[in-house]
Amino acid sequence: TEDVYLYTAKPLVHYVCGGRGVPRATVFAYGQTGSGKTHTMGGIQQMVAEDVFLTLSNNAFDNEGCSLENTTCSIAIFEIYGGRIQDLLNNRNRLKVLEDGKGEVVVSGLEEFEVNGPRDFLSLIDKGHNNRTTHATEANDVSSRSHAICQILFRDKYTGKLKGKLSLVDLAGSERGSDTKSHNRQRRTES
């Protein structure tokens, strides 16, 4: 997990905190059920939590970049499961995905929670993970059956304007045909 983080997500943390324009980046975990996507993404999320606040501290003298003096960091986590979108940090409230007048995709009703350090960050990650939809499959007794999206948002402390966003996406597993032979219709449609 550490190598995956160092070569993929770590450079993106620095990029989205760079402050030039409104940088956005996404890390995807994709693969077969039981291949370790959720485990790997959990490790990446832990390292991101540490690096975000280290980067914000180190950017204290950079007028353009995000720093603890000029930026808030917040987390929002939602899942997509069976055509439903649910806020995993806000009582699994149903959400809508819309397009705004600028052609930007907006998740309407998604609640953001401000975090002040790695501990707050990881506490919310754990809460979101615990609220995620899971079911048993042939490959895994407790398999994540939804696509989970963790958004880390950096906003101007005074105006609330978005300064950067990093999305960590843990996709539901794709099944091999042999793994789906004894599943019910619901498990097969999730694949």
Side-chain angles (χ1 to χ4, degrees), residues 13-57:
V13 169
H14 298 283
Y15 170 71
V16 298
C17 290
R20 282 121 189 109
V22 182
R24 298 163 197 229
T26 304
V27 176
F28 285 95
Y30 169 79
Q32 200 168 292
T33 294
S35 63
K37 296 175 303 301
T38 300
H39 174 79
T40 301
M41 187 56 78
I44 287 171
Q45 289 167 335
Q46 288 181 354
M47 289 180 248
V48 165
E50 295 292 333
D51 255 3
V52 158
F53 290 96
L54 184 63
T55 302
L56 291 175
S57 295

Side-chain angles (χ1 to χ4, degrees), residues 109-159:
L110 182 63
E111 184 123 10
E112 295 178 22
F113 294 86
E114 189 172 330
V115 291
N116 295 308
R119 186 175 298 184
D120 291 349
F121 187 113
L122 293 172
S123 175
L124 288 174
I125 296 292
D126 286 344
K127 180 179 178 182
H129 181 75
N130 290 335
N131 288 332
R132 193 165 173 196
T133 301
T134 61
H135 293 290
T137 65
E138 292 291 318
N140 201 343
D141 287 340
V142 181
S143 180
S144 303
R145 304 314 307 150
S146 65
H147 305 304
I149 298 90
C150 171
Q151 295 181 337
I152 305 156
L153 302 111
F154 302 95
R155 295 190 179 279
D156 184 284
K157 196 176 261 187
Y158 307 104
T159 66

Side-chain angles (χ1 to χ4, degrees), residues 33-34 81 132-146 173 175 179-191:
T33 294
Y81 174 71
R132 193 165 173 196
T133 301
T134 61
H135 293 290
T137 65
E138 292 291 318
N140 201 343
D141 287 340
V142 181
S143 180
S144 303
R145 304 314 307 150
S146 65
E175 309 295 321
D179 288 337
T180 62
K181 64 181 176 253
S182 64
H183 288 310
N184 63 25
R185 184 173 186 273
Q186 179 64 34
R187 291 297 89 70
R188 287 192 304 271
T189 59
E190 292 168 355
S191 304

